[in-house]
Amino acid sequence: DTGVSQDPRHKITKRGQNVTFRCDPISEHNRLYWYRQTLGQGPEFLTYFQNEAQLEKSRLLSDRFSAERPKGSFSTLEIQRTEQGDSAMYLCASSFQENTEAFFGQGTRLTVV
Amino acid sequence: QQQVKQSPQSLIVQKGGIPIINCAYENTAFDYFPWYQQFPGKGPALLIAIRPDVSEKKEGRFTISFNKSAKQFSLHIMDSQPGDSATYFCAAATQGGSEKLVFGKGTKLTVNP
């Protein structure tokens, strides 16, 4: 499968715990995006990378959230001290460069109990 | 402030019908308008996209109509099939690319056999 890969697919965690998600973009895609989707809503932009550089962060990305793309390939999204409001689908997407289509992964469903 | 307004919220048609989903945007800097299809538990999949230099684009059974002066665009699905039952999202972005997509709230389409 050469699409965007996300791991894990599902994560249940207790409030206050830290979680980390991984995204592997399509090979040779140098742009990588993170979105969050809550039930019944469209995805909302969180942040994006051009290679290893994080170019923009949404106001939705509080201090408890951090994203990295250390070698310009895979990316991680960490949420510290999770809250129930963090429960959502976290989607990763990638594109070859600017002005090209973004392809989404299957997402990681986070449930904070 | 919702930058992309999508309607209707849900839509039911019979097999062979032509569902139409509408979106309106506010930001005149938007210059890339994709449509995504999402099945339950899956990530959004790009269906078709249009840029404002054309008024219509057709790919298979899917057609986008674009009205730049009205700041509106719509998706038509010809000869709809039960397998088209999914949630459809319109989106918009600036700079002709796919970074920082702004999504509508989605339309849940049901195609009855």
Side-chain angles (χ1 to χ4, degrees):
Chain A
D1 188 346
T2 57
V4 177
S5 177
Q6 292 189 245
D7 184 70
R9 293 291 312 280
H10 303 274
K11 178 72 177 177
I12 300 175
T13 190
K14 291 184 178 179
R15 190 173 49 186
Q17 297 294 304
N18 298 343
V19 294
T20 300
F21 311 139
R22 177 180 170 125
C23 171
D24 287 89
I26 294 171
S27 179
E28 298 182 353
H29 278 195
N30 54 33
R31 292 210 162 192
L32 185 148
Y33 316 85
W34 285 100
Y35 287 79
R36 180 173 70 186
Q37 185 177 24
T38 53
L39 207 59
Q41 301 294 317
E44 295 174 293
F45 170 82
L46 292 178
T47 187
Y48 86 97
F49 293 83
Q50 167 85 24
N51 299 313
E52 65 274 9
Q54 189 172 17
L55 296 188
E56 188 168 347
K57 296 188 337 182
S58 161
R59 291 173 300 177
L60 293 174
L61 217 61
S62 75
D63 292 345
R64 296 184 297 105
F65 289 70
S66 62
E68 294 183 340
R69 195 182 182 198
K71 297 183 180 179
S73 57
F74 73 91
S75 174
T76 58
L77 178 68
E78 181 184 16
I79 309 174
Q80 296 183 325
R81 305 181 304 281
T82 52
E83 302 172 355
Q84 286 190 319
D86 297 332
S87 295
M89 174 83 88
Y90 290 84
L91 294 162
C92 176
S94 70
S95 65
F96 179 56
Q97 56 188 16
E98 61 186 284
N99 301 328
T100 60
E101 295 85 355
F103 295 89
F104 283 81
Q106 303 264 44
T108 294
R109 165 80 59 194
L110 172 67
T111 303
V112 181
V113 297
Chain B
Q1 181 184 10
Q2 186 185 352
Q3 295 194 58
V4 179
K5 293 185 180 179
Q6 183 172 347
S7 64
Q9 211 169 21
S10 63
L11 188 54
I12 301 174
V13 300
Q14 293 299 119
K15 178 182 174 182
I18 306 176
I20 300 172
I21 304 170
N22 300 299
C23 284
Y25 63 96
E26 299 163 4
N27 186 350
T28 54
F30 287 147
D31 57 4
Y32 174 71
F33 304 90
W35 284 88
Y36 284 84
Q37 178 190 56
Q38 187 175 33
F39 293 104
K42 305 292 185 184
L46 179 67
L47 265 180
I48 185 173
I50 198 168
R51 300 184 193 276
D53 51 344
V54 297
S55 60
E56 186 174 282
K57 183 175 181 180
K58 184 175 181 180
E59 285 185 4
R61 295 185 295 109
F62 301 95
T63 300
I64 300 180
S65 297
F66 183 80
N67 186 329
K68 188 174 181 179
S69 60
K71 293 187 286 185
Q72 294 175 348
F73 57 110
S74 59
L75 176 71
H76 302 229
I77 306 176
M78 304 302 178
D79 187 28
S80 58
Q81 301 296 313
D84 296 329
S85 298
T87 299
Y88 292 81
F89 293 94
C90 62
T94 60
Q95 303 174 341
S98 50
E99 58 263 19
K100 202 175 175 181
L101 288 164
V102 178
F103 283 84
K105 290 193 172 184
T107 296
K108 185 175 181 181
L109 173 65
T110 302
V111 182
N112 289 325

PDB file of all heavy atoms in Angstrom, chain B residues 13-35:
ATOM      1  N   VAL B  13     -31.536  10.131  -1.982  1.00  0.00           N
ATOM      2  CA  VAL B  13     -32.002  10.016  -3.367  1.00  0.00           C
ATOM      3  C   VAL B  13     -32.181   8.544  -3.714  1.00  0.00           C
ATOM      4  O   VAL B  13     -31.653   7.665  -3.035  1.00  0.00           O
ATOM      5  CB  VAL B  13     -31.022  10.672  -4.371  1.00  0.00           C
ATOM      6  CG1 VAL B  13     -30.850  12.154  -4.069  1.00  0.00           C
ATOM      7  CG2 VAL B  13     -29.683   9.958  -4.375  1.00  0.00           C
ATOM      8  N   GLN B  14     -32.903   8.327  -4.774  1.00  0.00           N
ATOM      9  CA  GLN B  14     -33.054   6.969  -5.283  1.00  0.00           C
ATOM     10  C   GLN B  14     -31.927   6.673  -6.267  1.00  0.00           C
ATOM     11  O   GLN B  14     -31.372   7.593  -6.887  1.00  0.00           O
ATOM     12  CB  GLN B  14     -34.399   6.808  -5.993  1.00  0.00           C
ATOM     13  CG  GLN B  14     -35.609   6.897  -5.080  1.00  0.00           C
ATOM     14  CD  GLN B  14     -35.606   5.806  -4.018  1.00  0.00           C
ATOM     15  OE1 GLN B  14     -35.585   6.084  -2.817  1.00  0.00           O
ATOM     16  NE2 GLN B  14     -35.615   4.556  -4.472  1.00  0.00           N
ATOM     17  N   LYS B  15     -31.622   5.420  -6.411  1.00  0.00           N
ATOM     18  CA  LYS B  15     -30.608   4.990  -7.377  1.00  0.00           C
ATOM     19  C   LYS B  15     -30.919   5.587  -8.748  1.00  0.00           C
ATOM     20  O   LYS B  15     -32.065   5.569  -9.199  1.00  0.00           O
ATOM     21  CB  LYS B  15     -30.600   3.457  -7.457  1.00  0.00           C
ATOM     22  CG  LYS B  15     -29.633   2.884  -8.458  1.00  0.00           C
ATOM     23  CD  LYS B  15     -29.744   1.368  -8.502  1.00  0.00           C
ATOM     24  CE  LYS B  15     -28.888   0.792  -9.617  1.00  0.00           C
ATOM     25  NZ  LYS B  15     -29.021  -0.679  -9.710  1.00  0.00           N
ATOM     26  N   GLY B  16     -29.888   6.134  -9.377  1.00  0.00           N
ATOM     27  CA  GLY B  16     -30.061   6.764 -10.673  1.00  0.00           C
ATOM     28  C   GLY B  16     -30.341   8.253 -10.593  1.00  0.00           C
ATOM     29  O   GLY B  16     -30.263   8.961 -11.605  1.00  0.00           O
ATOM     30  N   GLY B  17     -30.663   8.741  -9.408  1.00  0.00           N
ATOM     31  CA  GLY B  17     -30.919  10.165  -9.229  1.00  0.00           C
ATOM     32  C   GLY B  17     -29.648  10.994  -9.312  1.00  0.00           C
ATOM     33  O   GLY B  17     -28.531  10.449  -9.395  1.00  0.00           O
ATOM     34  N   ILE B  18     -29.790  12.316  -9.294  1.00  0.00           N
ATOM     35  CA  ILE B  18     -28.642  13.219  -9.419  1.00  0.00           C
ATOM     36  C   ILE B  18     -28.596  14.119  -8.181  1.00  0.00           C
ATOM     37  O   ILE B  18     -29.176  15.211  -8.175  1.00  0.00           O
ATOM     38  CB  ILE B  18     -28.720  14.067 -10.700  1.00  0.00           C
ATOM     39  CG1 ILE B  18     -28.890  13.169 -11.922  1.00  0.00           C
ATOM     40  CG2 ILE B  18     -27.461  14.942 -10.837  1.00  0.00           C
ATOM     41  CD1 ILE B  18     -29.074  13.922 -13.228  1.00  0.00           C
ATOM     42  N   PRO B  19     -27.940  13.670  -7.120  1.00  0.00           N
ATOM     43  CA  PRO B  19     -27.819  14.529  -5.943  1.00  0.00           C
ATOM     44  C   PRO B  19     -26.919  15.721  -6.242  1.00  0.00           C
ATOM     45  O   PRO B  19     -25.942  15.614  -6.989  1.00  0.00           O
ATOM     46  CB  PRO B  19     -27.188  13.610  -4.885  1.00  0.00           C
ATOM     47  CG  PRO B  19     -26.514  12.539  -5.661  1.00  0.00           C
ATOM     48  CD  PRO B  19     -27.281  12.369  -6.938  1.00  0.00           C
ATOM     49  N   ILE B  20     -27.285  16.872  -5.674  1.00  0.00           N
ATOM     50  CA  ILE B  20     -26.509  18.090  -5.853  1.00  0.00           C
ATOM     51  C   ILE B  20     -26.172  18.644  -4.470  1.00  0.00           C
ATOM     52  O   ILE B  20     -27.064  18.809  -3.638  1.00  0.00           O
ATOM     53  CB  ILE B  20     -27.296  19.142  -6.662  1.00  0.00           C
ATOM     54  CG1 ILE B  20     -27.651  18.590  -8.042  1.00  0.00           C
ATOM     55  CG2 ILE B  20     -26.472  20.429  -6.792  1.00  0.00           C
ATOM     56  CD1 ILE B  20     -28.587  19.487  -8.836  1.00  0.00           C
ATOM     57  N   ILE B  21     -24.904  18.897  -4.249  1.00  0.00           N
ATOM     58  CA  ILE B  21     -24.441  19.441  -2.977  1.00  0.00           C
ATOM     59  C   ILE B  21     -23.817  20.803  -3.260  1.00  0.00           C
ATOM     60  O   ILE B  21     -23.031  20.938  -4.197  1.00  0.00           O
ATOM     61  CB  ILE B  21     -23.403  18.509  -2.317  1.00  0.00           C
ATOM     62  CG1 ILE B  21     -23.998  17.106  -2.139  1.00  0.00           C
ATOM     63  CG2 ILE B  21     -22.962  19.068  -0.973  1.00  0.00           C
ATOM     64  CD1 ILE B  21     -22.982  16.060  -1.714  1.00  0.00           C
ATOM     65  N   ASN B  22     -24.187  21.778  -2.453  1.00  0.00           N
ATOM     66  CA  ASN B  22     -23.769  23.149  -2.705  1.00  0.00           C
ATOM     67  C   ASN B  22     -22.824  23.674  -1.631  1.00  0.00           C
ATOM     68  O   ASN B  22     -22.963  23.329  -0.450  1.00  0.00           O
ATOM     69  CB  ASN B  22     -24.998  24.055  -2.768  1.00  0.00           C
ATOM     70  CG  ASN B  22     -25.950  23.643  -3.860  1.00  0.00           C
ATOM     71  OD1 ASN B  22     -25.614  23.645  -5.040  1.00  0.00           O
ATOM     72  ND2 ASN B  22     -27.163  23.254  -3.470  1.00  0.00           N
ATOM     73  N   CYS B  23     -21.901  24.515  -2.046  1.00  0.00           N
ATOM     74  CA  CYS B  23     -21.006  25.183  -1.109  1.00  0.00           C
ATOM     75  C   CYS B  23     -20.850  26.644  -1.488  1.00  0.00           C
ATOM     76  O   CYS B  23     -20.859  26.979  -2.680  1.00  0.00           O
ATOM     77  CB  CYS B  23     -19.647  24.496  -1.070  1.00  0.00           C
ATOM     78  SG  CYS B  23     -19.683  22.948  -0.148  1.00  0.00           S
ATOM     79  N   ALA B  24     -20.716  27.473  -0.474  1.00  0.00           N
ATOM     80  CA  ALA B  24     -20.485  28.897  -0.675  1.00  0.00           C
ATOM     81  C   ALA B  24     -19.293  29.310   0.176  1.00  0.00           C
ATOM     82  O   ALA B  24     -19.122  28.804   1.296  1.00  0.00           O
ATOM     83  CB  ALA B  24     -21.731  29.691  -0.281  1.00  0.00           C
ATOM     84  N   TYR B  25     -18.497  30.199  -0.350  1.00  0.00           N
ATOM     85  CA  TYR B  25     -17.318  30.631   0.387  1.00  0.00           C
ATOM     86  C   TYR B  25     -17.300  32.142   0.510  1.00  0.00           C
ATOM     87  O   TYR B  25     -17.994  32.853  -0.222  1.00  0.00           O
ATOM     88  CB  TYR B  25     -16.034  30.107  -0.268  1.00  0.00           C
ATOM     89  CG  TYR B  25     -15.794  30.620  -1.671  1.00  0.00           C
ATOM     90  CD1 TYR B  25     -14.969  31.712  -1.913  1.00  0.00           C
ATOM     91  CD2 TYR B  25     -16.387  29.982  -2.765  1.00  0.00           C
ATOM     92  CE1 TYR B  25     -14.737  32.167  -3.207  1.00  0.00           C
ATOM     93  CE2 TYR B  25     -16.164  30.426  -4.055  1.00  0.00           C
ATOM     94  CZ  TYR B  25     -15.343  31.513  -4.273  1.00  0.00           C
ATOM     95  OH  TYR B  25     -15.120  31.950  -5.557  1.00  0.00           O
ATOM     96  N   GLU B  26     -16.491  32.622   1.448  1.00  0.00           N
ATOM     97  CA  GLU B  26     -16.437  34.061   1.708  1.00  0.00           C
ATOM     98  C   GLU B  26     -15.102  34.676   1.284  1.00  0.00           C
ATOM     99  O   GLU B  26     -15.054  35.810   0.832  1.00  0.00           O
ATOM    100  CB  GLU B  26     -16.679  34.314   3.195  1.00  0.00           C
ATOM    101  CG  GLU B  26     -18.053  33.816   3.669  1.00  0.00           C
ATOM    102  CD  GLU B  26     -18.141  33.683   5.185  1.00  0.00           C
ATOM    103  OE1 GLU B  26     -17.163  34.043   5.869  1.00  0.00           O
ATOM    104  OE2 GLU B  26     -19.184  33.210   5.677  1.00  0.00           O
ATOM    105  N   ASN B  27     -14.051  33.904   1.448  1.00  0.00           N
ATOM    106  CA  ASN B  27     -12.716  34.441   1.215  1.00  0.00           C
ATOM    107  C   ASN B  27     -12.403  34.461  -0.284  1.00  0.00           C
ATOM    108  O   ASN B  27     -12.231  33.420  -0.918  1.00  0.00           O
ATOM    109  CB  ASN B  27     -11.689  33.578   1.963  1.00  0.00           C
ATOM    110  CG  ASN B  27     -10.293  34.139   1.909  1.00  0.00           C
ATOM    111  OD1 ASN B  27     -10.011  35.076   1.161  1.00  0.00           O
ATOM    112  ND2 ASN B  27      -9.400  33.580   2.704  1.00  0.00           N
ATOM    113  N   THR B  28     -12.305  35.646  -0.865  1.00  0.00           N
ATOM    114  CA  THR B  28     -12.059  35.736  -2.306  1.00  0.00           C
ATOM    115  C   THR B  28     -10.639  35.326  -2.678  1.00  0.00           C
ATOM    116  O   THR B  28     -10.323  35.212  -3.867  1.00  0.00           O
ATOM    117  CB  THR B  28     -12.327  37.165  -2.798  1.00  0.00           C
ATOM    118  OG1 THR B  28     -11.551  38.082  -2.013  1.00  0.00           O
ATOM    119  CG2 THR B  28     -13.802  37.521  -2.655  1.00  0.00           C
ATOM    120  N   ALA B  29      -9.797  35.102  -1.702  1.00  0.00           N
ATOM    121  CA  ALA B  29      -8.433  34.630  -1.981  1.00  0.00           C
ATOM    122  C   ALA B  29      -8.393  33.122  -2.250  1.00  0.00           C
ATOM    123  O   ALA B  29      -7.391  32.602  -2.735  1.00  0.00           O
ATOM    124  CB  ALA B  29      -7.509  34.958  -0.814  1.00  0.00           C
ATOM    125  N   PHE B  30      -9.477  32.418  -1.938  1.00  0.00           N
ATOM    126  CA  PHE B  30      -9.513  30.980  -2.225  1.00  0.00           C
ATOM    127  C   PHE B  30      -9.386  30.766  -3.727  1.00  0.00           C
ATOM    128  O   PHE B  30     -10.074  31.411  -4.528  1.00  0.00           O
ATOM    129  CB  PHE B  30     -10.819  30.350  -1.743  1.00  0.00           C
ATOM    130  CG  PHE B  30     -10.928  30.197  -0.249  1.00  0.00           C
ATOM    131  CD1 PHE B  30     -12.165  30.311   0.378  1.00  0.00           C
ATOM    132  CD2 PHE B  30      -9.825  29.907   0.529  1.00  0.00           C
ATOM    133  CE1 PHE B  30     -12.284  30.155   1.752  1.00  0.00           C
ATOM    134  CE2 PHE B  30      -9.930  29.756   1.898  1.00  0.00           C
ATOM    135  CZ  PHE B  30     -11.170  29.887   2.510  1.00  0.00           C
ATOM    136  N   ASP B  31      -8.535  29.841  -4.114  1.00  0.00           N
ATOM    137  CA  ASP B  31      -8.380  29.570  -5.546  1.00  0.00           C
ATOM    138  C   ASP B  31      -8.193  28.083  -5.849  1.00  0.00           C
ATOM    139  O   ASP B  31      -7.692  27.709  -6.906  1.00  0.00           O
ATOM    140  CB  ASP B  31      -7.207  30.382  -6.122  1.00  0.00           C
ATOM    141  CG  ASP B  31      -5.895  30.094  -5.405  1.00  0.00           C
ATOM    142  OD1 ASP B  31      -5.871  29.211  -4.524  1.00  0.00           O
ATOM    143  OD2 ASP B  31      -4.896  30.764  -5.732  1.00  0.00           O
ATOM    144  N   TYR B  32      -8.615  27.258  -4.919  1.00  0.00           N
ATOM    145  CA  TYR B  32      -8.539  25.810  -5.133  1.00  0.00           C
ATOM    146  C   TYR B  32      -9.689  25.194  -4.372  1.00  0.00           C
ATOM    147  O   TYR B  32      -9.859  25.468  -3.174  1.00  0.00           O
ATOM    148  CB  TYR B  32      -7.196  25.282  -4.630  1.00  0.00           C
ATOM    149  CG  TYR B  32      -7.058  23.770  -4.672  1.00  0.00           C
ATOM    150  CD1 TYR B  32      -6.935  23.091  -5.877  1.00  0.00           C
ATOM    151  CD2 TYR B  32      -7.030  23.026  -3.494  1.00  0.00           C
ATOM    152  CE1 TYR B  32      -6.800  21.710  -5.906  1.00  0.00           C
ATOM    153  CE2 TYR B  32      -6.887  21.652  -3.515  1.00  0.00           C
ATOM    154  CZ  TYR B  32      -6.782  20.994  -4.723  1.00  0.00           C
ATOM    155  OH  TYR B  32      -6.652  19.632  -4.752  1.00  0.00           O
ATOM    156  N   PHE B  33     -10.523  24.407  -5.075  1.00  0.00           N
ATOM    157  CA  PHE B  33     -11.770  23.917  -4.481  1.00  0.00           C
ATOM    158  C   PHE B  33     -11.905  22.414  -4.739  1.00  0.00           C
ATOM    159  O   PHE B  33     -12.407  21.995  -5.774  1.00  0.00           O
ATOM    160  CB  PHE B  33     -12.969  24.672  -5.073  1.00  0.00           C
ATOM    161  CG  PHE B  33     -12.870  26.166  -4.911  1.00  0.00           C
ATOM    162  CD1 PHE B  33     -12.257  26.950  -5.887  1.00  0.00           C
ATOM    163  CD2 PHE B  33     -13.366  26.792  -3.773  1.00  0.00           C
ATOM    164  CE1 PHE B  33     -12.149  28.324  -5.742  1.00  0.00           C
ATOM    165  CE2 PHE B  33     -13.270  28.164  -3.618  1.00  0.00           C
ATOM    166  CZ  PHE B  33     -12.665  28.936  -4.598  1.00  0.00           C
ATOM    167  N   PRO B  34     -11.485  21.594  -3.773  1.00  0.00           N
ATOM    168  CA  PRO B  34     -11.622  20.141  -3.939  1.00  0.00           C
ATOM    169  C   PRO B  34     -12.875  19.614  -3.255  1.00  0.00           C
ATOM    170  O   PRO B  34     -13.439  20.248  -2.362  1.00  0.00           O
ATOM    171  CB  PRO B  34     -10.377  19.607  -3.221  1.00  0.00           C
ATOM    172  CG  PRO B  34     -10.114  20.611  -2.148  1.00  0.00           C
ATOM    173  CD  PRO B  34     -10.628  21.954  -2.652  1.00  0.00           C
ATOM    174  N   TRP B  35     -13.297  18.463  -3.682  1.00  0.00           N
ATOM    175  CA  TRP B  35     -14.373  17.719  -3.024  1.00  0.00           C
ATOM    176  C   TRP B  35     -13.789  16.392  -2.541  1.00  0.00           C
ATOM    177  O   TRP B  35     -13.059  15.717  -3.272  1.00  0.00           O
ATOM    178  CB  TRP B  35     -15.539  17.439  -3.975  1.00  0.00           C
ATOM    179  CG  TRP B  35     -16.397  18.633  -4.232  1.00  0.00           C
ATOM    180  CD1 TRP B  35     -16.223  19.571  -5.198  1.00  0.00           C
ATOM    181  CD2 TRP B  35     -17.566  19.010  -3.504  1.00  0.00           C
ATOM    182  NE1 TRP B  35     -17.214  20.523  -5.123  1.00  0.00           N
ATOM    183  CE2 TRP B  35     -18.067  20.202  -4.094  1.00  0.00           C
ATOM    184  CE3 TRP B  35     -18.267  18.462  -2.415  1.00  0.00           C
ATOM    185  CZ2 TRP B  35     -19.210  20.854  -3.634  1.00  0.00           C
ATOM    186  CZ3 TRP B  35     -19.410  19.097  -1.962  1.00  0.00           C
ATOM    187  CH2 TRP B  35     -19.863  20.286  -2.571  1.00  0.00           C
TER     188      TRP B  35
END
